[in-house]
Amino acid sequence: MKPGQAQLAAGGALALVLVGMAALSLVWTPYPAEAIDVAHRLAAPSAAHLLGTDPFGRDELSMLMVGARTSLAIALVAVLAGAGAGIPLGALAAALGKWPEQALMRAADLAFAFPALLTAVMIAALAGPGTTNAMLAIGIFNIPVFARITRAAAKSVLEREFVTAARAIGRGEVSVLLRHVLPNVAPQLLVQASIQFALAIVADAGLAYVGLGTQPPEPSWGRMLADAQTYVFDRPGLAIYPGLAVTLAVLGFNLLGDGLRDRLDPRLRGRD
Amino acid sequence: MNRILALALAGALAASTAEAKDTLSLGMVLEPPHLDPTAGAAAAIREVTYANLYEGLVRIDAEGKVRPALAASWSVSPDGLTYTFRLHRNVTFQDGSPFDCSTVAFSYGRALTPDSVNAQKGLFEPIRSVTCPDPHTAVVELKRPTASFLFGMGWGDAVMVSPRSIAADKTHPIGTGPFRFVRWVRGDHIVLERWPGYWGKKPALKEITFRFITDPNAAATAMLSGALDAFPNFPAPEVLARLRADAKLRVVVGTTEGKTVLALNEAKKPFDDIRVRRALAMAIDRKGLIEAAMSGYGVPIGSHYVPTDPGYVDLTGVYPYDPARARALLAEAGVRPGTQIAITLPPPAYARRGGEVIAAYLAQVGITAKLVPVEWAQWLDTVFAHGDYDATVISHTEPRDLDIYARRHYYFHYHSAAYRALWEQYQRTTDPKQADVLLGELQRKLAHDEPNVFLFALPKLGVWNAKLHGLWHNSPIPANDVTGVSWGK
């Protein structure tokens, strides 16, 4: 078996289920996820409600499906935003060197000094709760992650002979970065992106849990968990399902990242 | 020998009574912003200080009746304009300053000044003058007969404060009550202790700690573990079943004065249209709301009045749940499906959860409700002080406060000359029968106009150690009066 294949398969499968669930929720859910049905509140799982209903009589499964969509959308935008700002900054730092590099990296260190989730909570608290601000908050704490890894990878590529050769034939720094450096650091960034994606899902759930993420009535896993707290003795399922959803999503994207790393790592490549 | 045995036995008994618990640890959801009930509307101020630390001339008891406090007795002139209070003698404040008629003149006068920060200036508005024929008699002259005057003087807003300590009352309160302030650890707890210099009956408890716990799960755990002795206003109705199952605890579901409403800003479109307000009322199933948001605890109301108050008229049938009729009314008023409104939600669960359920009901009639959760300070500022909102879910806990709809400036901007006239007439009436009729009229007028969507009477969900006696079962006014609380066997 090729390195990382098992992780890739398992992670890919989990991610696929999640994405499938989210995609399906765009066109179909068993019930409208926001529709309440007081007569059937806190119903146990049955044929009518596969995972039962919540204290307002909303269908758990429908909420989980729409919650997957919310969660994935936030994670995707946050990672893209973090990468979009972090990669150019990191590449620039590596190419410019000297004080701009120092300044950028010290700024990144400063950002790292704060726990990521705390940063997100702080940003969301300042900007106000909501889906967009959650994306923004998680995106911002992703910037230094991508900046650092890009810089480190780019530094080593910049010292390689083919870069010197490219410079020798008169290519500009921007062109060198785009045509020679980025393609070489892309695999590492892809791996990092999937790990950051998993972290973003946890961060989103955390923000929603403390009331700073997606606002009701739109379903989100973190808020489902928070709402389930006081019902945990009567209906443990209400806490278990969203908790399990977050866990599996994080596991899936982490495995995917691990698998990708093993697969793309040149030192491991060809050792099958 | 027998004598020695008897002595030993008496000693043992004395020891055991000495060991009997005389402290109380009481849980509250909200921490008071400060401790001066004459300078702030927050119910939490009263929940710490009322009857325990501060006293008024009269007080409201557990049943909502007016009882003597610092005034031993009083008489009212036949025209209803002159109240003569005979004050208790030898009363001092906890800092040693004396209490007499001049204190009454000071306390009421302070509430009456134009720059008064009293949250219930309306209670004092009828007062023309306070005079002191002798230090132990206070004569209060009114501008007009006011049926609710004495009841109002029993509120936390009308307690006696000393000119010597008033400046520091917010952080270091000084009253005439049986408990005095010891310390306040912000964000955590407030401690009061029995004050030996109290003029009246000595309370059984020596020390009370008010602990502030917002999280319902932490509150439940604290009650189950015995870390707290009482949580008189328990925040999470869904947890009561679990607490009830514990034999050490007693769960008492009582009533409050809380009129929970979906308050509407009538200064804004479309809420200025009575058809829209009626449509909103008919779009919300109150029973369903109580079931979903309050686990079934709570009683539907149809006007700004709770069933436990005198003269209550059941008006819950005026706008019954009827989504089809609601949709028709909205169409008639020109409110298109998909219209968005914002509902501002303060922190209590009845508001946050209630808001979510209301949003779902409104969605059924084509109104998209955007839920805006806010903290208390923000709610008080934007909604209550500045009237900057569309709609909000809030429980008005002041008792019999029909007057707020007669005010010229109030955050829901309801202006009805007819209602105002009715209110003034009611205030002037001295005949109890006529007053009762007018009280009914006031409730009907509100139910008809539906300035706010009247939802339900907030229940008092009390949980305490089964050995505790004397805590209030109902909440006729916001208070945690522990002056009569004791530990039993």
mmCIF file of all heavy atoms in Angstrom, chain B residues 274-314:
data_model
loop_
_atom_site.group_PDB
_atom_site.id
_atom_site.type_symbol
_atom_site.label_atom_id
_atom_site.label_comp_id
_atom_site.label_asym_id
_atom_site.label_seq_id
_atom_site.Cartn_x
_atom_site.Cartn_y
_atom_site.Cartn_z
ATOM 1 N N ILE B 274 -52.519 49.086 13.438
ATOM 2 C CA ILE B 274 -53.135 48.161 14.400
ATOM 3 C C ILE B 274 -53.383 46.783 13.763
ATOM 4 O O ILE B 274 -53.302 45.756 14.440
ATOM 5 C CB ILE B 274 -54.433 48.759 14.987
ATOM 6 C CG1 ILE B 274 -54.937 47.910 16.145
ATOM 7 C CG2 ILE B 274 -55.509 48.913 13.915
ATOM 8 C CD1 ILE B 274 -55.989 48.562 16.987
ATOM 9 N N ARG B 275 -53.621 46.768 12.435
ATOM 10 C CA ARG B 275 -53.866 45.475 11.787
ATOM 11 C C ARG B 275 -52.617 44.597 11.844
ATOM 12 O O ARG B 275 -52.706 43.382 12.020
ATOM 13 C CB ARG B 275 -54.260 45.704 10.322
ATOM 14 C CG ARG B 275 -55.643 46.306 10.176
ATOM 15 C CD ARG B 275 -55.894 46.724 8.746
ATOM 16 N NE ARG B 275 -54.940 47.738 8.306
ATOM 17 C CZ ARG B 275 -55.043 48.396 7.149
ATOM 18 N NH1 ARG B 275 -56.028 48.131 6.317
ATOM 19 N NH2 ARG B 275 -54.146 49.308 6.805
ATOM 20 N N VAL B 276 -51.462 45.224 11.724
ATOM 21 C CA VAL B 276 -50.208 44.468 11.778
ATOM 22 C C VAL B 276 -50.014 43.898 13.189
ATOM 23 O O VAL B 276 -49.656 42.730 13.358
ATOM 24 C CB VAL B 276 -49.010 45.365 11.391
ATOM 25 C CG1 VAL B 276 -47.697 44.626 11.581
ATOM 26 C CG2 VAL B 276 -49.170 45.841 9.956
ATOM 27 N N ARG B 277 -50.295 44.723 14.195
ATOM 28 C CA ARG B 277 -50.106 44.257 15.580
ATOM 29 C C ARG B 277 -51.052 43.108 15.889
ATOM 30 O O ARG B 277 -50.684 42.127 16.530
ATOM 31 C CB ARG B 277 -50.317 45.420 16.552
ATOM 32 C CG ARG B 277 -49.392 46.614 16.280
ATOM 33 C CD ARG B 277 -49.282 47.528 17.468
ATOM 34 N NE ARG B 277 -50.537 48.127 17.882
ATOM 35 C CZ ARG B 277 -50.968 49.340 17.487
ATOM 36 N NH1 ARG B 277 -50.225 50.066 16.661
ATOM 37 N NH2 ARG B 277 -52.121 49.808 17.921
ATOM 38 N N ARG B 278 -52.288 43.225 15.400
ATOM 39 C CA ARG B 278 -53.248 42.136 15.610
ATOM 40 C C ARG B 278 -52.793 40.882 14.874
ATOM 41 O O ARG B 278 -52.915 39.771 15.392
ATOM 42 C CB ARG B 278 -54.617 42.561 15.104
ATOM 43 C CG ARG B 278 -55.267 43.551 16.023
ATOM 44 C CD ARG B 278 -56.589 44.023 15.481
ATOM 45 N NE ARG B 278 -57.210 44.940 16.429
ATOM 46 C CZ ARG B 278 -58.207 45.753 16.117
ATOM 47 N NH1 ARG B 278 -58.713 45.751 14.899
ATOM 48 N NH2 ARG B 278 -58.704 46.551 17.035
ATOM 49 N N ALA B 279 -52.278 41.078 13.662
ATOM 50 C CA ALA B 279 -51.812 39.935 12.872
ATOM 51 C C ALA B 279 -50.688 39.208 13.611
ATOM 52 O O ALA B 279 -50.676 37.977 13.705
ATOM 53 C CB ALA B 279 -51.327 40.408 11.505
ATOM 54 N N LEU B 280 -49.756 39.992 14.189
ATOM 55 C CA LEU B 280 -48.650 39.367 14.925
ATOM 56 C C LEU B 280 -49.190 38.580 16.109
ATOM 57 O O LEU B 280 -48.739 37.478 16.410
ATOM 58 C CB LEU B 280 -47.657 40.437 15.396
ATOM 59 C CG LEU B 280 -46.906 41.195 14.301
ATOM 60 C CD1 LEU B 280 -45.944 42.202 14.915
ATOM 61 C CD2 LEU B 280 -46.137 40.229 13.407
ATOM 62 N N ALA B 281 -50.197 39.166 16.786
ATOM 63 C CA ALA B 281 -50.788 38.475 17.939
ATOM 64 C C ALA B 281 -51.410 37.157 17.516
ATOM 65 O O ALA B 281 -51.306 36.153 18.223
ATOM 66 C CB ALA B 281 -51.821 39.368 18.607
ATOM 67 N N MET B 282 -52.047 37.160 16.341
ATOM 68 C CA MET B 282 -52.724 35.935 15.906
ATOM 69 C C MET B 282 -51.764 34.941 15.261
ATOM 70 O O MET B 282 -52.115 33.792 15.040
ATOM 71 C CB MET B 282 -53.858 36.291 14.956
ATOM 72 C CG MET B 282 -55.017 36.899 15.719
ATOM 73 S SD MET B 282 -56.521 36.978 14.752
ATOM 74 C CE MET B 282 -56.284 38.521 13.949
ATOM 75 N N ALA B 283 -50.562 35.384 14.946
ATOM 76 C CA ALA B 283 -49.583 34.496 14.317
ATOM 77 C C ALA B 283 -48.865 33.627 15.351
ATOM 78 O O ALA B 283 -48.261 32.621 15.016
ATOM 79 C CB ALA B 283 -48.559 35.317 13.544
ATOM 80 N N ILE B 284 -48.933 34.058 16.628
ATOM 81 C CA ILE B 284 -48.167 33.353 17.661
ATOM 82 C C ILE B 284 -49.087 32.521 18.540
ATOM 83 O O ILE B 284 -50.031 33.042 19.140
ATOM 84 C CB ILE B 284 -47.388 34.362 18.531
ATOM 85 C CG1 ILE B 284 -46.406 35.163 17.659
ATOM 86 C CG2 ILE B 284 -46.640 33.654 19.661
ATOM 87 C CD1 ILE B 284 -45.855 36.397 18.338
ATOM 88 N N ASP B 285 -48.802 31.240 18.609
ATOM 89 C CA ASP B 285 -49.560 30.353 19.491
ATOM 90 C C ASP B 285 -48.933 30.432 20.886
ATOM 91 O O ASP B 285 -47.867 29.884 21.126
ATOM 92 C CB ASP B 285 -49.507 28.922 18.944
ATOM 93 C CG ASP B 285 -50.225 27.932 19.858
ATOM 94 O OD1 ASP B 285 -50.968 28.392 20.754
ATOM 95 O OD2 ASP B 285 -50.050 26.717 19.655
ATOM 96 N N ARG B 286 -49.601 31.119 21.789
ATOM 97 C CA ARG B 286 -49.016 31.343 23.120
ATOM 98 C C ARG B 286 -48.773 30.026 23.851
ATOM 99 O O ARG B 286 -47.758 29.854 24.518
ATOM 100 C CB ARG B 286 -49.943 32.211 23.960
ATOM 101 C CG ARG B 286 -50.182 33.597 23.393
ATOM 102 C CD ARG B 286 -50.954 34.405 24.435
ATOM 103 N NE ARG B 286 -51.466 35.649 23.901
ATOM 104 C CZ ARG B 286 -52.644 35.772 23.298
ATOM 105 N NH1 ARG B 286 -53.415 34.708 23.139
ATOM 106 N NH2 ARG B 286 -53.055 36.939 22.874
ATOM 107 N N LYS B 287 -49.738 29.093 23.723
ATOM 108 C CA LYS B 287 -49.574 27.812 24.418
ATOM 109 C C LYS B 287 -48.351 27.072 23.887
ATOM 110 O O LYS B 287 -47.570 26.514 24.652
ATOM 111 C CB LYS B 287 -50.834 26.958 24.233
ATOM 112 C CG LYS B 287 -52.015 27.472 25.042
ATOM 113 C CD LYS B 287 -52.767 26.305 25.683
ATOM 114 C CE LYS B 287 -53.804 26.801 26.675
ATOM 115 N NZ LYS B 287 -55.028 27.300 25.982
ATOM 116 N N GLY B 288 -48.198 27.098 22.571
ATOM 117 C CA GLY B 288 -47.051 26.437 21.946
ATOM 118 C C GLY B 288 -45.749 27.087 22.391
ATOM 119 O O GLY B 288 -44.762 26.415 22.677
ATOM 120 N N LEU B 289 -45.776 28.402 22.465
ATOM 121 C CA LEU B 289 -44.600 29.153 22.899
ATOM 122 C C LEU B 289 -44.203 28.777 24.322
ATOM 123 O O LEU B 289 -43.028 28.530 24.619
ATOM 124 C CB LEU B 289 -44.910 30.652 22.800
ATOM 125 C CG LEU B 289 -43.881 31.616 23.378
ATOM 126 C CD1 LEU B 289 -42.618 31.607 22.530
ATOM 127 C CD2 LEU B 289 -44.444 33.037 23.441
ATOM 128 N N ILE B 290 -45.208 28.713 25.211
ATOM 129 C CA ILE B 290 -44.935 28.367 26.612
ATOM 130 C C ILE B 290 -44.367 26.949 26.696
ATOM 131 O O ILE B 290 -43.423 26.677 27.435
ATOM 132 C CB ILE B 290 -46.222 28.499 27.454
ATOM 133 C CG1 ILE B 290 -46.653 29.970 27.527
ATOM 134 C CG2 ILE B 290 -46.034 27.913 28.848
ATOM 135 C CD1 ILE B 290 -48.047 30.181 28.070
ATOM 136 N N GLU B 291 -44.947 26.064 25.894
ATOM 137 C CA GLU B 291 -44.506 24.675 25.877
ATOM 138 C C GLU B 291 -43.044 24.596 25.415
ATOM 139 O O GLU B 291 -42.196 23.997 26.079
ATOM 140 C CB GLU B 291 -45.426 23.899 24.918
ATOM 141 C CG GLU B 291 -45.459 22.420 25.104
ATOM 142 C CD GLU B 291 -45.804 21.997 26.533
ATOM 143 O OE1 GLU B 291 -46.816 22.455 27.104
ATOM 144 O OE2 GLU B 291 -45.015 21.207 27.064
ATOM 145 N N ALA B 292 -42.750 25.236 24.287
ATOM 146 C CA ALA B 292 -41.427 25.095 23.670
ATOM 147 C C ALA B 292 -40.347 25.873 24.414
ATOM 148 O O ALA B 292 -39.253 25.371 24.637
ATOM 149 C CB ALA B 292 -41.475 25.546 22.213
ATOM 150 N N ALA B 293 -40.656 27.093 24.814
ATOM 151 C CA ALA B 293 -39.611 27.935 25.397
ATOM 152 C C ALA B 293 -39.534 27.790 26.908
ATOM 153 O O ALA B 293 -38.494 28.028 27.508
ATOM 154 C CB ALA B 293 -39.848 29.398 25.029
ATOM 155 N N MET B 294 -40.645 27.421 27.557
ATOM 156 C CA MET B 294 -40.694 27.410 29.021
ATOM 157 C C MET B 294 -40.992 26.020 29.581
ATOM 158 O O MET B 294 -41.353 25.895 30.755
ATOM 159 C CB MET B 294 -41.765 28.384 29.515
ATOM 160 C CG MET B 294 -41.545 29.831 29.099
ATOM 161 S SD MET B 294 -40.085 30.565 29.847
ATOM 162 C CE MET B 294 -40.508 30.467 31.587
ATOM 163 N N SER B 295 -40.898 24.985 28.748
ATOM 164 C CA SER B 295 -41.220 23.618 29.152
ATOM 165 C C SER B 295 -42.610 23.543 29.786
ATOM 166 O O SER B 295 -42.870 22.730 30.676
ATOM 167 C CB SER B 295 -40.180 23.078 30.139
ATOM 168 O OG SER B 295 -38.933 22.997 29.513
ATOM 169 N N GLY B 296 -43.501 24.398 29.350
ATOM 170 C CA GLY B 296 -44.887 24.331 29.819
ATOM 171 C C GLY B 296 -45.192 25.187 31.035
ATOM 172 O O GLY B 296 -46.346 25.292 31.435
ATOM 173 N N TYR B 297 -44.168 25.811 31.653
ATOM 174 C CA TYR B 297 -44.414 26.665 32.820
ATOM 175 C C TYR B 297 -44.742 28.077 32.342
ATOM 176 O O TYR B 297 -43.987 28.681 31.592
ATOM 177 C CB TYR B 297 -43.191 26.712 33.728
ATOM 178 C CG TYR B 297 -42.854 25.385 34.352
ATOM 179 C CD1 TYR B 297 -41.786 24.630 33.881
ATOM 180 C CD2 TYR B 297 -43.617 24.876 35.399
ATOM 181 C CE1 TYR B 297 -41.464 23.403 34.443
ATOM 182 C CE2 TYR B 297 -43.313 23.650 35.967
ATOM 183 C CZ TYR B 297 -42.236 22.918 35.493
ATOM 184 O OH TYR B 297 -41.930 21.710 36.056
ATOM 185 N N GLY B 298 -45.848 28.602 32.833
ATOM 186 C CA GLY B 298 -46.270 29.934 32.390
ATOM 187 C C GLY B 298 -47.733 29.901 32.006
ATOM 188 O O GLY B 298 -48.261 28.848 31.639
ATOM 189 N N VAL B 299 -48.404 31.048 32.126
ATOM 190 C CA VAL B 299 -49.834 31.128 31.835
ATOM 191 C C VAL B 299 -50.047 32.202 30.771
ATOM 192 O O VAL B 299 -49.541 33.313 30.911
ATOM 193 C CB VAL B 299 -50.616 31.515 33.119
ATOM 194 C CG1 VAL B 299 -52.112 31.508 32.862
ATOM 195 C CG2 VAL B 299 -50.257 30.584 34.268
ATOM 196 N N PRO B 300 -50.805 31.887 29.707
ATOM 197 C CA PRO B 300 -51.030 32.892 28.656
ATOM 198 C C PRO B 300 -51.730 34.137 29.212
ATOM 199 O O PRO B 300 -52.545 34.025 30.137
ATOM 200 C CB PRO B 300 -51.955 32.176 27.661
ATOM 201 C CG PRO B 300 -51.820 30.735 27.956
ATOM 202 C CD PRO B 300 -51.470 30.614 29.402
ATOM 203 N N ILE B 301 -51.402 35.299 28.672
ATOM 204 C CA ILE B 301 -52.097 36.529 29.050
ATOM 205 C C ILE B 301 -52.582 37.217 27.771
ATOM 206 O O ILE B 301 -52.026 37.004 26.699
ATOM 207 C CB ILE B 301 -51.205 37.503 29.861
ATOM 208 C CG1 ILE B 301 -49.874 37.767 29.137
ATOM 209 C CG2 ILE B 301 -50.973 37.001 31.269
ATOM 210 C CD1 ILE B 301 -49.040 38.875 29.756
ATOM 211 N N GLY B 302 -53.606 38.044 27.915
ATOM 212 C CA GLY B 302 -54.159 38.721 26.742
ATOM 213 C C GLY B 302 -54.080 40.226 26.875
ATOM 214 O O GLY B 302 -54.509 40.973 26.006
ATOM 215 N N SER B 303 -53.533 40.693 28.003
ATOM 216 C CA SER B 303 -53.366 42.119 28.223
ATOM 217 C C SER B 303 -52.174 42.291 29.159
ATOM 218 O O SER B 303 -51.545 41.303 29.539
ATOM 219 C CB SER B 303 -54.636 42.700 28.840
ATOM 220 O OG SER B 303 -54.529 44.109 28.908
ATOM 221 N N HIS B 304 -51.871 43.550 29.536
ATOM 222 C CA HIS B 304 -50.694 43.772 30.369
ATOM 223 C C HIS B 304 -51.061 43.608 31.850
ATOM 224 O O HIS B 304 -50.943 44.544 32.644
ATOM 225 C CB HIS B 304 -50.122 45.164 30.101
ATOM 226 C CG HIS B 304 -48.710 45.339 30.577
ATOM 227 N ND1 HIS B 304 -47.618 45.013 29.818
ATOM 228 C CD2 HIS B 304 -48.206 45.783 31.748
ATOM 229 C CE1 HIS B 304 -46.518 45.263 30.490
ATOM 230 N NE2 HIS B 304 -46.845 45.722 31.665
ATOM 231 N N TYR B 305 -51.521 42.427 32.208
ATOM 232 C CA TYR B 305 -51.982 42.193 33.567
ATOM 233 C C TYR B 305 -51.939 40.697 33.830
ATOM 234 O O TYR B 305 -52.256 39.907 32.944
ATOM 235 C CB TYR B 305 -53.417 42.715 33.707
ATOM 236 C CG TYR B 305 -53.750 43.252 35.079
ATOM 237 C CD1 TYR B 305 -53.160 44.429 35.538
ATOM 238 C CD2 TYR B 305 -54.648 42.586 35.909
ATOM 239 C CE1 TYR B 305 -53.464 44.932 36.785
ATOM 240 C CE2 TYR B 305 -54.951 43.094 37.164
ATOM 241 C CZ TYR B 305 -54.366 44.266 37.598
ATOM 242 O OH TYR B 305 -54.652 44.766 38.836
ATOM 243 N N VAL B 306 -51.495 40.317 35.035
ATOM 244 C CA VAL B 306 -51.370 38.878 35.307
ATOM 245 C C VAL B 306 -52.579 38.352 36.091
ATOM 246 O O VAL B 306 -53.201 39.093 36.847
ATOM 247 C CB VAL B 306 -50.067 38.552 36.070
ATOM 248 C CG1 VAL B 306 -48.848 38.803 35.193
ATOM 249 C CG2 VAL B 306 -49.969 39.337 37.364
ATOM 250 N N PRO B 307 -52.915 37.071 35.885
ATOM 251 C CA PRO B 307 -54.119 36.494 36.499
ATOM 252 C C PRO B 307 -54.150 36.604 38.023
ATOM 253 O O PRO B 307 -55.225 36.591 38.611
ATOM 254 C CB PRO B 307 -54.074 35.027 36.069
ATOM 255 C CG PRO B 307 -53.223 35.005 34.853
ATOM 256 C CD PRO B 307 -52.240 36.120 35.003
ATOM 257 N N THR B 308 -52.987 36.705 38.681
ATOM 258 C CA THR B 308 -52.976 36.705 40.144
ATOM 259 C C THR B 308 -53.285 38.078 40.740
ATOM 260 O O THR B 308 -53.457 38.191 41.950
ATOM 261 C CB THR B 308 -51.590 36.256 40.655
ATOM 262 O OG1 THR B 308 -50.591 36.866 39.834
ATOM 263 C CG2 THR B 308 -51.451 34.756 40.593
ATOM 264 N N ASP B 309 -53.330 39.125 39.903
ATOM 265 C CA ASP B 309 -53.579 40.451 40.452
ATOM 266 C C ASP B 309 -55.073 40.755 40.552
ATOM 267 O O ASP B 309 -55.865 40.224 39.782
ATOM 268 C CB ASP B 309 -52.869 41.505 39.591
ATOM 269 C CG ASP B 309 -51.446 41.718 40.061
ATOM 270 O OD1 ASP B 309 -51.150 41.338 41.222
ATOM 271 O OD2 ASP B 309 -50.622 42.222 39.290
ATOM 272 N N PRO B 310 -55.457 41.617 41.524
ATOM 273 C CA PRO B 310 -56.874 41.917 41.709
ATOM 274 C C PRO B 310 -57.471 42.580 40.475
ATOM 275 O O PRO B 310 -56.824 43.416 39.843
ATOM 276 C CB PRO B 310 -56.882 42.877 42.908
ATOM 277 C CG PRO B 310 -55.490 43.403 43.013
ATOM 278 C CD PRO B 310 -54.605 42.319 42.497
ATOM 279 N N GLY B 311 -58.694 42.172 40.134
ATOM 280 C CA GLY B 311 -59.388 42.795 39.014
ATOM 281 C C GLY B 311 -58.982 42.268 37.655
ATOM 282 O O GLY B 311 -59.262 42.883 36.632
ATOM 283 N N TYR B 312 -58.333 41.093 37.632
ATOM 284 C CA TYR B 312 -57.873 40.525 36.355
ATOM 285 C C TYR B 312 -59.052 40.127 35.471
ATOM 286 O O TYR B 312 -60.033 39.575 35.940
ATOM 287 C CB TYR B 312 -56.993 39.306 36.629
ATOM 288 C CG TYR B 312 -56.657 38.490 35.399
ATOM 289 C CD1 TYR B 312 -55.694 38.927 34.509
ATOM 290 C CD2 TYR B 312 -57.317 37.284 35.134
ATOM 291 C CE1 TYR B 312 -55.383 38.185 33.378
ATOM 292 C CE2 TYR B 312 -57.010 36.536 34.008
ATOM 293 C CZ TYR B 312 -56.044 36.990 33.132
ATOM 294 O OH TYR B 312 -55.740 36.255 32.012
ATOM 295 N N VAL B 313 -58.952 40.440 34.191
ATOM 296 C CA VAL B 313 -59.955 40.014 33.216
ATOM 297 C C VAL B 313 -59.252 39.116 32.190
ATOM 298 O O VAL B 313 -58.209 39.492 31.652
ATOM 299 C CB VAL B 313 -60.557 41.236 32.484
ATOM 300 C CG1 VAL B 313 -61.641 40.783 31.519
ATOM 301 C CG2 VAL B 313 -61.106 42.242 33.480
ATOM 302 N N ASP B 314 -59.803 37.936 31.956
ATOM 303 C CA ASP B 314 -59.187 37.010 30.998
ATOM 304 C C ASP B 314 -59.461 37.477 29.570
ATOM 305 O O ASP B 314 -60.597 37.411 29.101
ATOM 306 C CB ASP B 314 -59.738 35.595 31.216
ATOM 307 C CG ASP B 314 -59.044 34.584 30.312
ATOM 308 O OD1 ASP B 314 -58.224 35.003 29.452
ATOM 309 O OD2 ASP B 314 -59.312 33.374 30.464
#
